[in-house]
């Protein structure tokens, strides 16, 4: 008998729950024996009270036990690597890193999620590509990794179904940005999918779930501990999310930007993070190279076009149309213009992210569909000098009314002043 009200009360009052109790609750939720409203109450109690290391491990273990697991290393006969981001605005890094890593000779496996709150989701971006399949049978998943070097799919009913349910519930109950819930969600997918070496991109700042370096470092250490407990290698990059990454925010717009980046024509900050994450993955692989050599090889694959070839092979292997002209486009495009001259001293990532959600690029309710065509393209970012009336961004909307609202929201996200801001690099720290 699941004692959900008792467990909610005990966590609400600050008690540490036993591993068996947490597994009982989480697995009961996956079986439909614990309703959404009780699990939402539990998540809110965790949000305020937190979870200990033992509780976090038990929750992660329960998520993994709720479905099947894959030993891809044994199935493929190679060391399998993975890369994951904690979520940011304009963060399409996986769309470039994964095919680049595959072209460099790695076997890349990834279970991805959908958008949470103001942050975009890799699956939502990939589903903007006509025909792309984010759900494929596990046998086909393994075969694709073996043949193409890469597969990215969503959580199926077979793999960590408990996390899939909880992921959607957290998105609409204001319980997303809780470190233990984030760690358990991410690592359950990584461990169940069989990756043996993992690079985690932990976002830090205004548009991230972790607002400070200290909080991000604690989250990184939690995920590393979960990985080590399961015998996996884990490296965490702490990266800037005080402003959006790159220029595009919105599903199809980010796919276009990712394709330009893999061709060597992407925004500087986005390109830098892609190359660094790829180098770290290569250093964890079975290819016997260090980070510096990994970076050199990644740059070469972009320069000679082979990374772009890998992109096309991957997209087509999962049924997608690799031609950018097939991507959906919004019917309304409106410019956001500066109202004064000066330096862009700040650009709120959460402000831009929320504007994109209001356009329809993200979800306002658990079961809502997203509009893959809408979003925002930024022309200037932090540190840039602008003139009065100069275009700051373009808003891509479904209707004139939606676009006009978003124009005001994006303008409010910009702060223009007389003095340039201090420089803030994309890569803030590395935790291993």
């Amino acid at each position: 008998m699941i004692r959900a009200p008792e467990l909610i009360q005990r966590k609400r009052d600050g008690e540490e729950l036993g591993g068996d109790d947490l597994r009982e609750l989480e697995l009961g939720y996956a079986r439909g024996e614990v309703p959404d409203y009780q699990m939402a109450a539990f998540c809110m109690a965790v949000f305020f009270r937190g979870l200990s290391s033992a509780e976090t491990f038990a929750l992660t273990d329960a998520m993994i036990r709720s479905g099947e697991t894959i030993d891809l290393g044994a199935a493929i006969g190679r060391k399998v690597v993975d890369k994951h981001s904690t979520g940011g605005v304009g963060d399409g890094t996986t769309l470039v890193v994964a095919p680049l890593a595959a072209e460099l000779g790695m076997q890349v496996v990834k279970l991805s999620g959908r958008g949470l709150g103001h942050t975009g989701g890799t699956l939502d971006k990939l589903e903007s590509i006509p025909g792309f399949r984010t759900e494929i049978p596990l046998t086909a998943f393994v075969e694709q990794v073996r043949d193409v070097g890469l597969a990215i799919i969503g959580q199926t009913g077979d793999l960590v179904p408990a996390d899939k349910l909880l992921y959607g519930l957290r998105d609409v109950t204001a319980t997303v940005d809780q470190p233990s819930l984030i760690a358990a969600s991410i690592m359950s997918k990584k461990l169940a999918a069989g990756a043996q070496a993992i690079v985690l991109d932990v976002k830090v700042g205004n548009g991230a779930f972790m607002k400070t370096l200290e909080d991000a470092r604690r989250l990184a250490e939690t995920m590393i501990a979960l990985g080590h407990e399961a015998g996996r290698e884990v490296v965490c990059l702490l990266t800037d999310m005080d402003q959006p990454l790159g220029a595009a925010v919105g599903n199809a717009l980010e796919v276009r930007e990712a394709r330009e980046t893999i061709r060597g024509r992407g925004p500087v900050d986005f390109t830098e993070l892609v190359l660094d994450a790829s180098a770290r993955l290569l250093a964890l692989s079975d290819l016997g190279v260090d980070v510096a050599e990994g970076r050199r090889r990644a740059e070469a694959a972009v320069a000679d076009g082979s990374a772009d070839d890998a992109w096309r092979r991957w997209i087509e292997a999962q049924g997608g149309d690799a031609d950018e002209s097939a991507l959906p486009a919004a019917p309304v495009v409106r410019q956001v213009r500066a109202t004064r001259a000066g330096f862009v001293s700040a650009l709120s990532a959460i402000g831009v992210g929320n504007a994109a959600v209001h356009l329809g690029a993200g979800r306002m309710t658990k079961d809502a569909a997203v509009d893959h065509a809408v979003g925002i393209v930024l022309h200037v970012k932090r540190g840039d000098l602008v003139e009065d009336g100069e275009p700051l961004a373009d808003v891509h909307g479904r209707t004139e009314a939606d676009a006009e609202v978003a124009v005001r929201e994006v303008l409010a996200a910009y702060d223009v002043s007389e003095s340039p801001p201090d420089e803030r690099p994309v890569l803030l720290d590395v935790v291993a």
Side-chain angles (χ1 to χ4, degrees):
M1 180 70 68
I2 300 172
R3 300 163 289 118
E6 177 191 337
L7 297 179
I8 294 166
Q9 180 180 352
R10 287 169 55 196
K11 177 48 60 180
R12 181 202 68 188
D13 294 341
E15 288 187 37
E16 180 170 347
L17 302 180
D20 289 342
D21 287 336
L22 276 168
R23 291 183 186 94
E24 178 185 343
L25 181 67
E26 181 66 17
L27 292 172
Y29 180 57
R31 293 190 297 264
E33 298 165 8
V34 175
D36 271 356
Y37 61 83
Q38 286 185 322
M39 204 63 187
F42 175 75
C43 288
M44 189 60 72
V46 170
F47 184 87
F48 286 110
R49 293 295 190 174
L51 294 176
S52 68
S53 296
E55 287 176 310
T56 304
F57 180 78
L59 184 64
T60 306
D61 181 58
M63 289 177 176
I64 295 169
R65 290 190 188 189
S66 69
E68 295 182 3
T69 58
I70 312 172
D71 187 351
L72 277 176
I76 296 169
R78 287 280 310 279
K79 187 176 185 180
V80 176
V81 299
D82 189 9
K83 175 265 168 194
H84 190 89
S85 169
T86 58
V89 179
D91 181 17
T93 313
T94 293
L95 302 179
V96 187
V97 170
L100 179 54
E103 176 59 28
L104 293 172
M106 289 176 269
Q107 303 288 336
V108 184
V109 53
K110 182 164 172 54
L111 283 185
S112 288
R114 304 189 183 280
L116 279 177
H118 63 278
T119 69
T122 298
L123 291 187
D124 296 325
K125 296 166 191 177
L126 289 173
E127 286 177 347
S128 69
I129 301 172
F132 191 95
R133 299 187 302 270
T134 58
E135 294 187 6
I136 57 179
L138 293 182
T139 53
F141 179 66
V142 172
E143 283 299 316
Q144 183 176 314
V145 175
R146 183 183 291 116
D147 295 342
V148 183
L150 162 66
I152 298 179
I153 63 171
Q155 292 158 263
T156 69
D158 300 323
L159 286 168
V160 285
D163 175 63
K164 184 177 183 180
L165 292 169
L166 195 61
Y167 194 93
L169 186 66
R170 287 165 54 217
D171 189 21
V172 294
T173 56
T175 55
V176 170
D177 48 342
Q178 204 289 325
S180 292
L181 295 180
I182 293 172
S185 176
I186 291 173
M187 294 306 294
S188 65
K189 291 190 284 285
K190 303 301 106 180
L191 300 178
Q196 294 145 308
I198 307 160
V199 171
L200 297 171
D201 179 2
V202 181
K203 299 298 183 185
V204 186
N206 166 272
F209 298 128
M210 301 294 102
K211 305 301 182 186
T212 68
L213 265 175
E214 292 73 24
D215 287 344
R217 194 170 284 109
R218 280 193 289 271
L219 174 59
E221 290 168 350
T222 299
M223 292 190 291
I224 289 171
L226 289 171
H228 288 174
E229 185 77 21
R232 314 297 168 90
E233 297 174 81
V234 184
V235 172
C236 289
L237 311 181
L238 309 187
T239 66
D240 176 40
M241 192 42 66
D242 261 353
Q243 66 174 347
L245 181 66
V249 180
N251 300 293
L253 296 172
E254 291 184 47
V255 172
R256 287 192 178 91
E257 180 174 82
R259 191 70 187 278
E260 286 298 289
T261 302
I262 208 165
R263 289 169 169 165
R265 302 194 293 261
V268 174
D269 59 341
F270 186 34
T271 299
E272 179 63 25
L273 181 53
V274 161
L275 293 173
D276 197 81
S278 300
R280 302 279 173 179
L281 272 178
L282 203 60
L284 288 179
S285 75
D286 55 7
L287 298 176
V289 302
D290 60 15
V291 174
E293 175 62 13
R295 172 72 179 237
R296 188 197 67 75
R297 293 188 186 187
E299 290 172 345
V302 170
D304 67 16
S306 59
D308 188 46
D309 292 339
W311 163 285
R312 180 175 291 276
R313 289 196 301 273
W314 161 49
I315 297 299
E316 292 177 348
Q318 288 190 230
D321 188 333
D323 190 336
E324 300 98 300
S325 64
L327 291 167
V332 178
V333 180
R334 291 289 174 267
Q335 284 193 329
V336 181
R337 294 184 176 274
T339 56
R340 60 172 294 189
F343 291 93
V344 177
S345 56
L347 173 56
S348 169
I350 194 169
V352 174
N354 283 335
V357 171
H358 297 157
L359 283 166
R363 292 176 179 79
M364 301 293 288
T365 62
K366 180 181 175 182
D367 299 316
V370 299
D371 188 334
H372 293 107
V374 302
I376 298 149
V377 176
L378 307 166
H379 298 315
V380 297
K381 295 179 66 178
R382 189 177 55 222
D384 290 336
L385 181 63
V386 298
E387 299 297 330
D388 187 8
E390 180 179 342
L392 301 175
D394 289 333
V395 167
H396 296 243
R398 182 60 53 186
T399 68
E400 294 280 357
D402 288 345
E404 288 303 319
V405 171
V407 165
R408 293 192 292 271
E409 291 180 315
V410 173
L411 183 59
Y414 277 95
D415 188 4
V416 178
S417 62
E418 295 180 358
S419 302
D422 294 334
E423 290 188 13
R424 181 178 167 98
V426 173
L427 180 60
L428 303 173
D429 200 359
V430 179
V431 183

